[in-house]
Amino acid sequence: MEVGASMAMTSRAPGAGVAGAGVVRRSAFPGWEKQAQAGSLRVGGATAGAAAVAVRARGTRPVAPLCSVRASRGSESLHDSVDEALLLKRKSEEVLFHLNGRCIYLVGMMGSGKSTVGKILAEVLGYSCFDSDKLVEQAVGMPSVAQIFKVHSEAFFRENESSVLRDLSSMRRLVVATGGGAVIRPINWNYMKKGLSVWLDVPLDALAKRISQVGTASRPLLDQPSDDPYTAAFTKLSMLAEQRGEAYANADARVSLEEIAAKQGHGDVSKLTPTDIAIEALLKIGNFVTEEPAVHGQVDSQSRKMQAL
């Protein structure tokens, strides 16, 4: 399957841009509920807009310096933002060759910022960015995951989610923001292992605060009436984390927001920006791709033997 340039999701996130577009430093959590629209894929025979649209991933292109300016924050903020942009650019250049066009799959709990960080990574790597939830919605012709759950079932959604990941896994140069529950099906890992997976590990209390502030209407597994939205969200997230924790740990790289915050000398992960997280993701990706040849050569050899049986 191909990915058409006209239907590719724009990689720009709030706080990311290239060549003349400003990047505003902001918290990694407020405002992350905005999602870019993605192109449609054929999923299990279903199409969005009555036809399956082929999508062509963009090739690598030079990465322009990212600038970040907010006049009211003064020269110190500008200096920090330029430093961030240069670091982001340098890290992307370091990993790009070793990626060799492989897709990057972001996994993690709902609300962990996969879509926003994914758009930043795609921008600096010259990749295209897709949100698997959005592709499922378009493929089955429904406006939200919540409605799919309500009209059909979670099982129906999961089947279509796997079909989307299967189709995406045949492509190259994509950053894919997966749904929070994509990790629970082993078949999805078969697809994601064709590329490189990155777990955005966010503390549950930070997720619960953010989700309780923006609401749970778009999150069917959390959307339950409660007088205390934070407690309800935290309780449900804790249960989901217990169920999925080992699955998330299957990712090739783990990006811990607590570790990033500690490096910066504070303990509040809500102060981190999407750019902070994207830089750490590139660092972890770089560590993985530069250390993998011996290990993955063995894995590839074993895979070929299994396919021959």
Side-chain angles (χ1 to χ4, degrees):
M1 169 176 291
E2 294 184 337
V3 181
S6 63
M7 300 302 293
M9 277 178 60
T10 58
S11 329
R12 275 178 207 153
V18 295
V23 177
V24 178
R25 182 178 178 87
R26 60 187 67 179
S27 169
F29 287 87
W32 275 22
E33 66 276 9
K34 281 194 172 183
Q35 302 291 330
Q37 293 184 348
S40 58
L41 293 176
R42 182 179 300 278
V43 182
T47 61
V53 180
V55 213
R56 181 181 301 280
R58 295 176 310 193
T60 304
R61 53 173 170 39
V63 180
L66 299 176
C67 300
S68 176
V69 178
R70 181 178 287 178
S72 63
R73 300 191 63 170
S75 60
E76 183 177 351
S77 176
L78 173 60
H79 177 75
D80 290 344
S81 299
V82 170
D83 284 348
E84 277 187 343
L86 293 174
L87 182 57
L88 192 62
K89 179 177 182 292
R90 187 174 77 246
K91 291 297 181 185
S92 67
E93 291 173 342
E94 289 174 358
V95 305
L96 194 54
F97 172 78
H98 295 286
L99 278 172
N100 194 30
R102 282 177 294 177
C103 295
I104 296 172
Y105 297 89
L106 299 180
V107 302
M109 293 287 285
M110 62 185 77
S112 58
K114 298 182 294 289
S115 295
T116 301
V117 173
K119 284 177 270 185
I120 297 175
L121 292 176
E123 189 68 55
V124 297
L125 292 170
Y127 275 31
S128 294
C129 185
F130 286 90
D131 183 313
S132 64
D133 281 356
K134 295 297 181 184
L135 293 177
V136 173
E137 291 167 3
Q138 293 174 8
V140 302
M142 291 190 171
S144 69
V145 173
Q147 186 172 357
I148 296 172
F149 272 53
K150 182 178 180 179
V151 174
H152 296 286
S153 64
E154 180 179 357
F156 175 86
F157 172 82
R158 297 298 175 200
E159 285 293 334
N160 282 276
E161 179 179 57
S162 293
S163 296
V164 162
L165 291 174
R166 179 197 63 211
D167 290 343
L168 292 173
S169 72
S170 68
M171 305 174 195
R172 290 169 62 80
R173 300 184 184 280
L174 303 180
V175 177
V176 180
T178 68
V183 298
I184 64 178
R185 302 191 81 192
I187 187 64
N188 293 343
W189 283 107
N190 289 347
Y191 302 138
M192 292 191 287
K193 287 299 181 182
K194 293 181 180 180
L196 188 150
S197 53
V198 180
W199 173 23
L200 301 188
D201 185 7
V202 183
L204 295 183
D205 61 334
L207 286 177
K209 287 176 184 176
R210 188 234 163 205
I211 290 172
S212 63
Q213 289 170 357
V214 301
T216 59
S218 63
R219 306 183 186 281
L221 294 180
L222 295 184
D223 192 23
Q224 301 173 1
S226 173
D227 294 332
D228 184 356
Y230 169 81
T231 299
F234 184 84
T235 300
K236 183 63 176 180
L237 287 168
S238 297
M239 184 182 71
L240 292 173
E242 181 74 20
Q243 296 170 353
R244 302 172 180 175
E246 291 186 5
Y248 289 133
N250 286 327
D252 297 312
R254 171 176 171 262
V255 174
S256 167
L257 269 65
E258 286 184 320
E259 291 179 3
I260 303 173
K263 287 180 183 179
Q264 296 189 3
H266 56 77
D268 186 357
V269 301
S270 67
K271 294 181 180 179
L272 299 176
T273 68
T275 302
D276 292 329
I277 301 165
I279 289 171
E280 184 72 8
L282 285 171
L283 177 63
K284 294 299 180 70
I285 291 171
N287 291 341
F288 179 80
V289 297
T290 55
E291 295 172 0
E292 68 175 343
V295 175
H296 283 260
Q298 296 172 7
V299 172
D300 291 342
S301 176
Q302 292 173 358
S303 297
R304 286 192 294 270
K305 290 179 181 178
M306 292 180 65
Q307 291 173 358
L309 295 177

